[in-house]
Amino acid sequence: MEILGKSLVGFHDSASTADPFNAWNPASGDKIDAAFFPATPEDIDFAAKLASEAFSTYSRLSGREKASFLNRLASHLESITDLLIARAHSETALPEPRLKSETARTCNQLRLFASVIEEGSWVSARIDQAAPDRKPLPKPDIRSMLHPLGPVVVFGASNFPLAFSVAGGDTASSLAAGNPVIVKAHPAHPGTSELVGRAIRDAVRDQGLPEGVFSLLFDSGTEVGARLVQHPLVKAVAFTGSIPAGRALMDLAVRRPEPIPFYGEMGSTNPVFILPGAMAARGKEIASQLHGSFTLGSGQFCTKPGLVFLPQQNSSMNFLPELQDKVTRSPKLILLTSSIRNSYQRELQNRKGRSDLAVVAEGEQPASGPAFLAGVAVFQTDVASLLSSPDLGSEVFGPSTLLVRFSNQPELLNAARSLSGHLTATIHGTEEDLQEFSELLQILRDKVGRIVFNGYPTGVEVCHAMVHGGPYPASTDSRTTSVGSQAIFRFARPVCYQDFPDSALPAELKNSNPLKIWRMVDGNFTHCEL
């Protein structure tokens, strides 16, 4: 499949030839052949118009019809797996086994949502039957269910070129809910994005769907994204990226004449709490596994543990020596883009210049050169310093973490209360630790979307119960998740029908329950007909 470098506007290729840009190979720093052309304002308007027109048809498809489309799309992606992995590897330098796994995850996500919408109960159908003889006033027949929002804009993420990108979870959940999607491709991996985009377009065409169900737009800067968020035909936005970029887009979304939902998954430091019993029993093991977690993917996971609380009086003499040994033997790692590399290097230099931080260990540090390389580094401070300088707890995107020593339980609890919102928190402890520090769990429930016990936050299972979100700034709406089947609820809204004849109701609300879905009828869940 040839890379053309053109935005995909429905079934059309953009005619834009202005301001071309290229992808770069992070391992060598070399420019990759094939230029990509930013979408024009006309492309944006056309994509939005096509999406709005497609919504009237696509939103009315049955769950089975939409599921057939998502399953077809998964098969299309699997048919070009080798091509995808080769291109993604050249644009990201991510290992091929990782990319193979990510491709499988992307297809599994699509099939997960296909199964959810084919079964159909996700629409949360509720029926309160009429009671005309109720006194003093008769009760009307009231029924409600979820309906799709309209065209959704999805921003591809830099660190997951497949699973959080063009056909990733945001696109899958948006399409599953019945919304056409316009993807703003990430400029770090445009070739990978185009290959996936063409597979989606082929699936749309093969399924006989309106062309506006999907479009893919390129841009090397911020203009296209900003225009999309502000376009009056766009009804919701999904974003994965940095806090500054996410906040800027969120502000645009709420300042529109018609504000729209902005679902941003942004920065997170993902604190880890190592309690005394666990430290005494497994200090060396925890150190080794912690190193593996914060260096996984070169430290470029949004769930990377970047803040680690541990006892001041180290009850394990093996933890720190093991961690230092792992770090000092760490090779240089490859970051995704030059801007990520430059930002990481600035953060390391800033931390090395602070009097309230100490360097615990460093791995091999890169010399200046064209490749996007970074060295592993671990720093240390104490709770008092963290409380007086909260910026110490900010995210550093790359293979580094910060150890924070605590002296006693009240000090640790104060530190936990001071945290902002995060995607995850991790507790390493024994059953006795959990009893002694029981208040810690209560505090963390208000701070994060997922709490991990005796594990590590990197690695997000795609399943029905997963929550990948959290209080701001981890995400812009802590009631939602961007991973797992509950992600579909972001792109739907409840609509109520009062006193309608059965013949005019959606199938999900008809008396006969032709879809055999689970519904709440007069306060009780049932899949029977009325």
Side-chain angles (χ1 to χ4, degrees):
M1 187 183 294
E2 183 182 1
I3 300 293
L4 301 179
K6 301 288 189 177
S7 293
L8 313 181
V9 186
F11 295 158
H12 302 75
D13 290 348
S14 169
S16 172
T17 58
D19 303 320
F21 67 96
N22 294 75
W24 296 80
N25 185 318
S28 65
D30 295 333
K31 182 186 294 187
I32 299 174
D33 291 339
F36 294 83
F37 299 91
T40 65
E42 293 74 22
D43 291 331
I44 296 168
D45 287 338
F46 191 27
K49 180 175 180 290
L50 288 175
S52 183
E53 292 171 350
F55 178 65
S56 62
T57 300
Y58 185 68
S59 63
R60 295 188 177 99
L61 294 182
S62 68
R64 182 168 296 176
E65 290 171 312
K66 294 197 296 289
S68 176
F69 166 51
L70 295 182
N71 285 324
R72 182 187 294 270
L73 171 53
S75 296
H76 275 48
L77 293 176
E78 288 171 338
S79 72
I80 60 169
T81 294
D82 291 344
L83 191 62
L84 278 178
I85 290 174
R87 183 70 192 195
H89 177 65
S90 69
E91 292 183 329
T92 65
L94 293 172
E96 292 186 2
R98 146 80 191 270
L99 291 169
K100 184 175 182 180
S101 175
E102 193 177 328
T103 303
R105 171 178 167 170
T106 303
C107 295
N108 291 340
Q109 286 177 156
L110 290 164
R111 292 191 171 107
L112 172 68
F113 283 107
S115 68
V116 167
I117 58 178
E118 186 168 23
E119 188 280 329
S121 298
W122 78 273
V123 298
S124 301
R126 293 170 178 249
I127 298 173
D128 285 289
Q129 298 182 87
D133 298 329
R134 188 185 68 174
K135 303 298 182 183
L137 295 173
K139 176 187 174 185
D141 183 277
I142 298 178
R143 307 181 183 211
S144 68
M145 61 176 287
L146 296 175
H147 283 278
L149 296 175
V152 173
V153 167
V154 171
F155 284 78
S158 64
N159 56 341
F160 281 85
L162 296 163
F164 277 86
S165 193
V166 178
D170 290 336
T171 296
S173 52
S174 300
L175 292 171
N179 305 286
V181 171
I182 303 170
V183 174
K184 173 11 186 105
H186 197 283
H189 40 76
T192 306
S193 297
E194 183 180 328
L195 291 173
V196 175
R198 291 187 180 278
I200 299 176
R201 187 165 74 176
D202 289 346
V204 171
R205 186 186 283 116
D206 293 348
Q207 197 74 16
L209 300 177
E211 62 174 322
V213 166
F214 174 78
S215 291
L216 171 69
L217 304 183
F218 289 119
D219 189 20
S220 60
T222 61
E223 182 178 350
V224 169
R227 282 181 176 270
L228 283 169
V229 171
Q230 296 174 95
H231 200 286
L233 295 178
V234 169
K235 300 302 180 184
V237 179
F239 170 86
T240 300
S242 69
I243 294 175
R247 183 57 198 245
L249 293 170
M250 180 178 72
D251 290 346
L252 291 177
V254 299
R255 287 203 304 262
R256 292 170 33 135
E258 176 200 354
I260 57 174
F262 180 87
Y263 297 109
E265 188 263 282
M266 305 190 296
S268 182
T269 312
N270 307 297
V272 174
F273 298 84
I274 306 175
L275 302 183
M279 180 65 85
R282 312 183 275 112
K284 183 177 181 179
E285 175 188 348
I286 292 172
S288 176
Q289 294 172 347
L290 175 66
H291 171 266
S293 184
F294 79 80
T295 59
L296 185 66
S298 300
Q300 297 170 111
F301 285 0
C302 52
T303 52
K304 183 200 78 174
L307 201 60
V308 183
F309 294 90
L310 65 162
Q312 181 72 45
Q313 298 300 321
N314 194 343
S315 52
S316 169
M317 299 305 294
N318 297 321
F319 175 86
L320 198 57
E322 176 69 11
L323 183 60
Q324 289 171 322
D325 179 64
K326 290 285 187 182
V327 170
T328 54
R329 291 192 292 111
S330 296
K332 299 185 295 290
L333 300 176
I334 303 173
L335 300 184
L336 291 161
T337 69
S338 60
S339 60
I340 292 174
R341 185 266 317 273
N342 294 341
S343 176
Y344 179 72
Q345 296 294 358
R346 285 195 301 271
E347 289 289 345
L348 290 196
Q349 292 306 312
N350 289 339
R351 292 198 163 197
K352 289 177 181 179
R354 297 187 64 140
S355 61
D356 51 1
L357 288 178
V359 177
V360 170
E362 286 187 273
E364 183 181 357
Q365 298 299 308
S368 60
F372 307 156
L373 299 176
V376 178
V378 176
F379 298 86
Q380 182 171 281
T381 189
D382 54 31
V383 168
S385 297
L386 179 66
L387 294 178
S388 63
S389 300
D391 62 301
L392 289 175
S394 60
E395 181 182 29
V396 176
F397 201 64
S400 178
T401 196
L402 173 64
L403 307 182
V404 183
R405 295 283 188 176
F406 66 91
S407 298
N408 51 50
Q409 183 187 118
E411 190 174 64
L412 179 63
L413 297 180
N414 284 337
R417 292 189 189 98
S418 75
L419 295 173
S420 61
H422 295 272
L423 293 170
T424 76
T426 299
I427 298 174
H428 280 273
T430 63
E431 289 192 21
E432 292 75 15
D433 284 329
L434 288 181
Q435 293 175 358
E436 181 182 352
F437 290 82
S438 59
E439 191 175 347
L440 176 62
L441 181 59
Q442 309 304 319
I443 294 170
L444 294 180
R445 285 173 181 167
D446 296 329
K447 299 292 184 178
V448 304
R450 175 166 61 110
I451 306 173
V452 180
F453 182 62
N454 284 346
Y456 298 88
T458 41
V460 180
E461 181 70 24
V462 180
C463 61
H464 297 292
M466 177 53 64
V467 174
H468 190 64
Y472 185 86
S475 58
T476 56
D477 189 337
S478 63
R479 299 168 298 175
T480 65
T481 176
S482 65
V483 177
S485 61
Q486 294 181 94
I488 196 172
F489 297 123
R490 297 173 297 168
F491 306 113
R493 64 182 182 87
V495 176
C496 183
Y497 300 82
Q498 183 167 324
D499 285 334
F500 270 72
D502 189 74
S503 60
L505 289 168
E508 292 87 346
L509 298 177
K510 289 184 181 296
N511 289 336
S512 62
N513 192 12
L515 303 181
K516 306 304 180 188
I517 63 173
W518 284 94
R519 308 186 295 184
M520 178 182 283
V521 179
D522 296 331
N524 298 304
F525 283 104
T526 176
H527 57 78
C528 298
E529 63 183 64
L530 301 184

